[in-house]
Amino acid sequence: MKKQYLHKAHIDEKGDLIIPGELVSRFGFQPGVDVYIEEGNNEIRVYRPVSQLAKIYIEVTNLCNLDCQTCMRNVWGEPSGLMSDATFEKIFSEVQELPALPTIFFGGYGEPLLHPKILDWVKRFKEIGARVELISNGLLLTEERSLQFIRFGLDVLWISLDGSSEESYVDIRLGSSLPQVIDNLRKLRYIRHKATDIDNSLPNLGIAFVAMKKNIKDLPEVLQLGIQLGATRFSISNVLPHTTELNDQILYKRSMQNMIGRQNTAYPLVNLSRMDWNEVTKEVLTYIYSRKFRLELAGFEYNRAVDNCPFIEQGSMSIRWDGSVSPCLPLLHTNQYVCRLQLRKTMNYSLGNINENGVLGIWKNEKYESLRDRLQRFDFSPCTFCDGCELSEDNINDCLGNTELACGGCLWAQGFIRCP
């Protein structure tokens, strides 16, 4: 069977590596761009050029119909609102001027289905050929909205589902109803399968799960429930502990204590074959997986996702409901979280406003280009590795001399927190 992820490249007579055309266009390998290459034990990894805008997160609102225990909205004093028509039109018009259409992801720190224009905005991006995804808590997913998403060809609908029983679910997602969400998803699947007059293969269903001590036992049932509802993908993240109470729920205390940086090759390399995880092996495997080693699992490096900004690597920008642009979702709003028992305040970081500078104006700004390069190299103090100091109490300065923005304490960059 052909390995679908393998592409044959060619080295010409000059010794230059010729990358296949489909990868050139998809990953933005345009003439003249610079890329980073990381050396592994028996491979090299070519990183996406940070010059290509490949994904745009659009927060159409930071209002929500729920009061989830895990949400950063509980610890901020930010104003709330809905994205205006003018801001959307600015984004929409400039996206069409890009060399390649980026993926549009409707989601941020609010419920997109609360915005009265969300269906129309999904439709308009699909009409120009963009890939479109949306994340929702699923409570407002009516039959009419499901039908419209199917008709428009929404590519992926992500639903946040943090429990498999009503008791565990509502303990986290206050104000919601698990039976109602499940019923909404069943109706979505039914409508999709019965809609013979349209392409009924979309949207694909994704399930986003935030793991904590109190709900991790539900994960196998959530996976099975998702499969029964037609889910084709799952995004499983740790909880970001905005409070000390949430910090007691995290599942990565040992992993954080034993972290090793991407550049640290002083740790011994362990090449591990696949084996069962059971009563005989789990204690030994836990020790090996504890990040005290550089680990290869069946020939592939396992714990290299450290000092690595997932938002930069996927070529994304994030746009707040009022048009303010940040390099990632976590920096859209000022918030706080506990990092190694120290409360860290994350100040929002804006690179400009869409209404004043436009998508292209901000993306091509020298300051933004420099920041993307620095984030890809990750030249920040390792705040999550040490026990902390006064500089690590926020994300403004660090001990390497970074000012305005210091990402060394980012749990996304260390692989603990993930977004779809």
Side-chain angles (χ1 to χ4, degrees), residues 37 52 99-100 120 160 164 171 179 194 255 265 286 288 298 309 360 415:
I37 298 176
Q52 183 198 32
D120 180 57
S160 298
S164 60
D171 183 44
K194 292 298 182 180
S255 295
T265 58
T286 297
I288 294 175
C309 175
L360 289 171

Side-chain angles (χ1 to χ4, degrees), residues 62-78:
N62 62 351
L63 296 166
C64 191
N65 57 324
L66 302 183
D67 188 20
C68 298
Q69 180 189 101
T70 56
C71 186
M72 72 163 59
R73 296 169 69 253
N74 296 318
V75 294
W76 74 19
E78 300 267 301

Side-chain angles (χ1 to χ4, degrees), residues 4-45:
Q4 298 298 320
Y5 54 86
L6 283 182
H7 299 268
K8 182 175 286 188
H10 175 70
I11 299 175
D12 65 13
E13 61 277 2
K14 297 179 182 179
D16 294 330
L17 180 66
I18 309 301
I19 298 175
E22 74 165 291
L23 296 183
V24 168
S25 58
R26 192 194 318 165
F27 289 95
F29 294 114
Q30 301 302 321
V33 303
D34 293 322
V35 298
Y36 282 102
I37 298 176
E38 183 180 1
E39 183 179 354
N41 191 40
N42 193 36
E43 62 179 337
I44 59 172
R45 175 182 292 190

Side-chain angles (χ1 to χ4, degrees), residues 257-270 290-295 301 303 385:
Q257 292 169 356
N258 296 324
M259 288 169 60
I260 59 176
R262 174 166 48 173
Q263 308 302 328
N264 196 336
T265 58
Y267 287 77
L269 177 68
V270 174
S290 68
R291 290 188 181 272
K292 293 179 179 179
F293 308 97
R294 289 182 297 127
L295 177 62
E301 194 162 343
N303 54 357
F385 292 69

